[in-house]
Amino acid sequence: MCSSDLTRSRANEGHAMNAKEIMKTVVHTAKPGDSVHDIVILLGQEKISGLPVVDEFGNIVGVITEIDLLRAYKEDRSDQPVDQLMTRDVINVTEDAELNEIVDLFLEKGIRRVFVAKDTELLGVISRRDLVLSSQISKQVTEEIGRASCRERV
C-alpha cells in the first residue's frame, strides 16, 4: 500500500518545527581567558569543531573554532587567550526560529553551528548535523523515498 499519508511530516500537518524543538541545551563553552591548549583538549575530547565563548553571566561574546585555532598557530599567537582569537560576529537565532530559516543561515553563511539565544544569553546550539538528523527532515526524506518507491511500482 502506497500512501503519502503514512509518512506525512509535521510540516504538512501545519506545524513547522522551530529551534527550541531540536537545539541541544547542554552546551560546552569557553571563557574569554581560556588558553588555546584548554580549548584544543576540549574540542578533541568532545569531538566538536567550535565553542561559544561566554562571559560570567552566560552571554555569548564570541565563538572559537578550529579555523580560529589554525589561524592562531599560523600567526604564532597560540599563547594568547581565547578572547584575542575568537570570532566576535556570532550568528544567533531565537527559540522560535523555524527550521527553514536556520537551513538558510547554514547555506548562506557557510557556518557549522548556530547558537540559540535570548538576547545574548546562550540557551542552546544547533549544528548542521542536528538539523540533518532532526525528525522534521528525516520525515521529509522518508516521505520522498516512499513516494519514489510508489512511482517505481506503478
Side-chain angles (χ1 to χ4, degrees):
M1 175 179 187
C2 289
S3 171
S4 61
D5 290 338
L6 296 176
T7 55
R8 186 181 310 243
S9 72
R10 290 175 69 186
N12 291 339
E13 293 171 358
H15 174 79
M17 284 183 68
N18 60 33
K20 185 175 185 176
E21 294 176 82
I22 65 166
M23 71 180 183
K24 290 181 180 170
T25 56
V26 176
V27 182
H28 297 283
T29 61
K31 300 287 185 205
D34 286 349
S35 71
V36 167
H37 177 74
D38 292 339
I39 299 304
V40 169
I41 289 172
L42 184 56
L43 293 178
Q45 286 176 339
E46 298 302 325
K47 296 179 175 58
I48 55 178
S49 62
L51 296 164
V53 181
V54 297
D55 65 15
E56 63 272 15
F57 305 107
N59 294 309
I60 304 168
V61 296
V63 59
I64 187 80
T65 67
E66 293 168 329
I67 293 295
D68 298 318
L69 297 173
L70 290 173
R71 190 175 297 116
Y73 282 117
K74 180 156 177 69
E75 297 171 358
D76 198 27
R77 296 177 38 208
S78 58
D79 60 335
Q80 295 183 349
V82 166
D83 64 345
Q84 298 300 309
L85 307 170
M86 68 186 185
T87 300
R88 294 179 187 280
D89 186 22
V90 181
I91 298 172
N92 299 331
V93 297
T94 61
E95 288 180 294
D96 60 346
E98 292 185 5
L99 290 192
N100 285 336
E101 175 186 344
I102 299 168
V103 169
D104 288 344
L105 281 173
F106 282 122
L107 296 174
E108 292 168 9
K109 304 290 185 183
I111 55 178
R112 292 181 179 234
R113 73 204 56 76
V114 66
F115 301 111
V116 182
K118 182 175 183 180
D119 299 319
T120 58
E121 179 188 358
L122 178 65
L123 302 176
V125 64
I126 299 170
S127 69
R128 292 185 305 196
R129 176 175 300 243
D130 297 331
L131 206 54
V132 168
L133 298 178
S134 74
S135 61
Q136 176 72 24
I137 291 176
S138 296
K139 286 179 182 181
Q140 289 174 347
V141 169
T142 301
E143 184 178 86
E144 288 301 316
I145 292 170
R147 280 197 291 259
S149 177
C150 287
R151 284 192 296 267
E152 288 175 6
R153 293 182 195 163
V154 175

Coordinates of all heavy atoms in Angstrom, one line a residue, residues 19-64:
A19 N 13.6 26.1 16.5 CA 14.9 25.9 17.1 C 14.8 25.2 18.5 O 15.5 24.3 18.8 CB 15.6 27.2 17.2
K20 N 13.8 25.6 19.2 CA 13.6 25.1 20.6 C 13.4 23.6 20.6 O 13.9 22.9 21.5 CB 12.4 25.8 21.3 CG 12.3 25.4 22.7 CD 11.2 26.2 23.4 CE 11.1 25.8 24.9 NZ 10.1 26.6 25.6
E21 N 12.8 23.1 19.5 CA 12.5 21.6 19.5 C 13.7 20.8 19.1 O 13.7 19.6 19.4 CB 11.4 21.4 18.4 CG 10.1 22.0 18.9 CD 9.0 21.8 17.8 OE1 8.4 20.8 17.7 OE2 8.8 22.8 17.0
I22 N 14.7 21.3 18.5 CA 15.9 20.5 18.1 C 17.2 20.9 18.8 O 18.2 20.2 18.6 CB 16.0 20.4 16.6 CG1 16.4 21.7 16.0 CG2 14.8 19.8 16.0 CD1 16.9 21.6 14.6
M23 N 17.2 22.1 19.4 CA 18.5 22.5 20.0 C 19.0 21.7 21.1 O 18.2 21.0 21.8 CB 18.4 24.0 20.5 CG 17.6 24.1 21.7 SD 17.5 25.9 22.2 CE 16.6 25.8 23.7
K24 N 20.3 21.6 21.2 CA 20.9 20.9 22.4 C 21.1 22.0 23.5 O 21.6 23.1 23.2 CB 22.3 20.4 22.0 CG 22.2 19.2 21.1 CD 23.6 18.6 20.7 CE 23.4 17.5 19.8 NZ 24.7 17.0 19.2
T25 N 20.6 21.7 24.7 CA 20.7 22.6 25.7 C 21.9 22.4 26.6 O 22.2 23.3 27.4 CB 19.4 22.6 26.6 OG1 19.2 21.3 27.1 CG2 18.2 23.0 25.8
V26 N 22.6 21.3 26.5 CA 23.8 21.1 27.2 C 24.9 21.5 26.2 O 25.1 20.8 25.2 CB 24.0 19.6 27.7 CG1 25.4 19.4 28.3 CG2 22.9 19.2 28.6
V27 N 25.5 22.6 26.5 CA 26.5 23.2 25.5 C 27.8 23.4 26.2 O 27.9 24.1 27.3 CB 26.0 24.6 25.0 CG1 26.9 25.1 23.9 CG2 24.6 24.5 24.4
H28 N 28.9 22.9 25.6 CA 30.2 23.1 26.1 C 30.6 24.5 25.7 O 30.3 25.0 24.6 CB 31.2 22.1 25.5 CG 30.9 20.7 25.9 ND1 31.2 20.2 27.2 CD2 30.3 19.7 25.2 CE1 30.8 19.0 27.2 NE2 30.2 18.6 26.1
T29 N 31.2 25.3 26.6 CA 31.5 26.7 26.4 C 33.0 27.0 26.7 O 33.6 26.2 27.5 CB 30.6 27.6 27.2 OG1 30.8 27.4 28.6 CG2 29.1 27.4 26.8
A30 N 33.4 28.1 26.2 CA 34.8 28.6 26.6 C 34.6 29.9 27.3 O 33.5 30.6 27.1 CB 35.6 28.8 25.3
K31 N 35.5 30.3 28.1 CA 35.6 31.6 28.7 C 36.6 32.5 28.0 O 37.6 31.9 27.4 CB 36.0 31.4 30.2 CG 35.0 30.6 31.0 CD 33.7 31.3 31.3 CE 32.8 30.4 32.2 NZ 31.4 30.7 32.0
P32 N 36.4 33.8 28.0 CA 37.3 34.7 27.3 C 38.8 34.5 27.7 O 39.7 34.6 26.8 CB 36.9 36.1 27.7 CG 35.4 35.9 28.0 CD 35.3 34.5 28.6
G33 N 39.1 34.1 28.9 CA 40.5 34.0 29.3 C 41.1 32.6 29.1 O 42.3 32.3 29.5
D34 N 40.3 31.6 28.6 CA 40.8 30.3 28.4 C 42.0 30.2 27.5 O 42.1 31.1 26.6 CB 39.7 29.3 27.9 CG 38.7 29.0 28.9 OD1 38.9 29.2 30.1 OD2 37.6 28.4 28.5
S35 N 42.8 29.2 27.6 CA 44.0 29.1 26.8 C 43.7 28.3 25.6 O 42.7 27.5 25.6 CB 45.2 28.4 27.6 OG 44.8 27.0 27.8
V36 N 44.5 28.4 24.5 CA 44.3 27.6 23.3 C 44.5 26.1 23.7 O 43.7 25.3 23.2 CB 45.4 28.1 22.2 CG1 45.4 27.0 21.1 CG2 45.0 29.4 21.7
H37 N 45.4 25.8 24.5 CA 45.7 24.4 24.9 C 44.4 23.8 25.5 O 44.0 22.7 25.1 CB 46.8 24.4 25.9 CG 47.1 23.0 26.5 ND1 47.7 22.0 25.7 CD2 46.8 22.5 27.7 CE1 47.8 20.9 26.4 NE2 47.2 21.2 27.6
D38 N 43.7 24.5 26.4 CA 42.5 24.0 27.0 C 41.4 23.8 26.0 O 40.6 22.8 26.0 CB 42.0 25.0 28.1 CG 42.9 25.0 29.3 OD1 43.7 24.1 29.5 OD2 42.9 26.0 30.1
I39 N 41.3 24.7 25.0 CA 40.3 24.6 24.0 C 40.5 23.5 23.1 O 39.6 22.7 22.8 CB 40.2 26.0 23.2 CG1 39.8 27.1 24.1 CG2 39.2 25.8 22.0 CD1 38.5 27.0 24.9
V40 N 41.8 23.3 22.7 CA 42.1 22.1 21.8 C 41.8 20.8 22.5 O 41.2 19.9 21.9 CB 43.6 22.2 21.4 CG1 44.1 20.9 20.8 CG2 43.9 23.4 20.5
I41 N 42.1 20.7 23.8 CA 41.8 19.5 24.5 C 40.2 19.3 24.6 O 39.8 18.2 24.3 CB 42.3 19.5 26.0 CG1 43.9 19.4 25.9 CG2 41.7 18.4 26.9 CD1 44.6 19.6 27.2
L42 N 39.5 20.3 24.9 CA 38.0 20.2 24.9 C 37.4 19.8 23.6 O 36.6 18.9 23.5 CB 37.4 21.4 25.5 CG 35.9 21.4 25.7 CD1 35.5 20.3 26.6 CD2 35.4 22.8 26.2
L43 N 37.9 20.5 22.5 CA 37.4 20.1 21.2 C 37.7 18.7 20.8 O 36.8 18.0 20.3 CB 38.0 21.0 20.1 CG 37.6 22.5 20.2 CD1 38.3 23.3 19.1 CD2 36.1 22.7 20.0
G44 N 38.8 18.2 21.2 CA 39.2 16.8 20.9 C 38.4 15.8 21.7 O 37.9 14.8 21.2
Q45 N 38.2 16.1 23.0 CA 37.5 15.2 23.9 C 36.0 15.1 23.4 O 35.5 14.0 23.5 CB 37.6 15.7 25.3 CG 38.9 15.4 26.0 CD 38.9 16.0 27.4 OE1 38.2 16.9 27.7 NE2 39.9 15.5 28.2
E46 N 35.5 16.2 23.1 CA 34.0 16.2 22.8 C 33.7 16.0 21.3 O 32.6 15.9 20.9 CB 33.4 17.6 23.2 CG 33.5 17.8 24.7 CD 32.9 16.7 25.5 OE1 31.8 16.2 25.1 OE2 33.4 16.4 26.6
K47 N 34.8 15.9 20.5 CA 34.6 15.7 19.0 C 33.7 16.8 18.4 O 32.8 16.5 17.7 CB 34.1 14.3 18.7 CG 35.1 13.2 19.2 CD 34.6 11.8 18.9 CE 35.5 10.7 19.2 NZ 36.1 10.6 20.5
I48 N 34.0 18.0 18.7 CA 33.3 19.1 18.2 C 34.3 20.1 17.5 O 35.5 20.0 17.7 CB 32.5 19.9 19.2 CG1 33.4 20.3 20.4 CG2 31.3 19.0 19.7 CD1 32.6 21.1 21.5
S49 N 33.8 21.0 16.7 CA 34.7 21.9 15.9 C 34.7 23.3 16.4 O 35.4 24.1 15.8 CB 34.3 21.8 14.4 OG 33.0 22.3 14.3
G50 N 33.9 23.7 17.4 CA 33.9 25.0 17.9 C 33.1 25.1 19.1 O 32.3 24.2 19.5
L51 N 33.3 26.3 19.8 CA 32.6 26.5 21.1 C 32.1 28.0 21.2 O 32.9 28.9 20.8 CB 33.6 26.3 22.3 CG 34.2 24.9 22.5 CD1 35.4 25.0 23.4 CD2 33.1 24.1 23.1
P52 N 31.0 28.2 21.8 CA 30.6 29.6 22.1 C 31.5 30.1 23.2 O 31.9 29.3 24.1 CB 29.2 29.5 22.5 CG 29.0 28.1 23.0 CD 30.0 27.2 22.2
V53 N 31.9 31.3 23.2 CA 32.6 31.9 24.3 C 31.6 32.8 25.0 O 30.9 33.6 24.4 CB 33.8 32.8 23.7 CG1 34.6 33.4 24.9 CG2 34.7 32.0 22.8
V54 N 31.5 32.5 26.3 CA 30.5 33.2 27.1 C 31.2 33.9 28.3 O 32.2 33.5 28.8 CB 29.4 32.3 27.7 CG1 28.6 31.6 26.5 CG2 30.0 31.2 28.6
D55 N 30.6 35.0 28.7 CA 31.1 35.8 29.8 C 30.5 35.2 31.1 O 29.9 34.1 31.1 CB 30.7 37.3 29.7 CG 29.2 37.6 29.8 OD1 28.4 36.7 30.2 OD2 28.9 38.7 29.4
E56 N 30.8 35.8 32.3 CA 30.4 35.2 33.5 C 28.9 35.2 33.8 O 28.5 34.5 34.7 CB 31.1 36.0 34.7 CG 30.7 37.5 34.8 CD 31.6 38.4 34.0 OE1 32.3 37.9 33.1 OE2 31.5 39.6 34.2
F57 N 28.2 35.9 32.9 CA 26.7 35.8 33.0 C 26.0 34.9 32.0 O 24.8 34.8 31.9 CB 26.2 37.3 32.8 CG 26.8 38.3 33.8 CD1 27.7 39.2 33.3 CD2 26.5 38.3 35.1 CE1 28.3 40.1 34.2 CE2 27.0 39.2 36.0 CZ 27.9 40.1 35.5
G58 N 26.8 34.2 31.2 CA 26.3 33.3 30.2 C 25.9 33.9 28.9 O 25.2 33.3 28.1
N59 N 26.4 35.1 28.7 CA 26.1 35.9 27.5 C 27.2 35.5 26.4 O 28.4 35.4 26.8 CB 26.1 37.4 27.7 CG 25.0 37.8 28.6 OD1 23.8 37.4 28.4 ND2 25.3 38.5 29.6
I60 N 26.7 35.3 25.2 CA 27.7 34.9 24.1 C 28.4 36.2 23.7 O 27.9 37.2 23.4 CB 26.9 34.4 22.9 CG1 26.0 33.2 23.3 CG2 27.9 34.0 21.8 CD1 25.0 32.8 22.2
V61 N 29.8 36.1 23.8 CA 30.6 37.2 23.4 C 31.5 36.8 22.1 O 32.1 37.7 21.6 CB 31.6 37.6 24.5 CG1 30.7 38.2 25.7 CG2 32.5 36.5 25.0
G62 N 31.4 35.6 21.7 CA 32.2 35.2 20.6 C 32.1 33.7 20.3 O 31.3 33.0 21.0
V63 N 32.8 33.2 19.4 CA 32.9 31.8 19.1 C 34.3 31.5 18.7 O 35.0 32.2 18.0 CB 31.9 31.3 18.0 CG1 32.2 32.1 16.7 CG2 31.9 29.8 17.7
I64 N 34.8 30.4 19.2 CA 36.2 29.9 18.9 C 36.1 28.6 18.2 O 35.4 27.7 18.6 CB 37.1 29.8 20.2 CG1 38.6 29.5 19.8 CG2 36.6 28.8 21.2 CD1 39.3 30.7 19.4

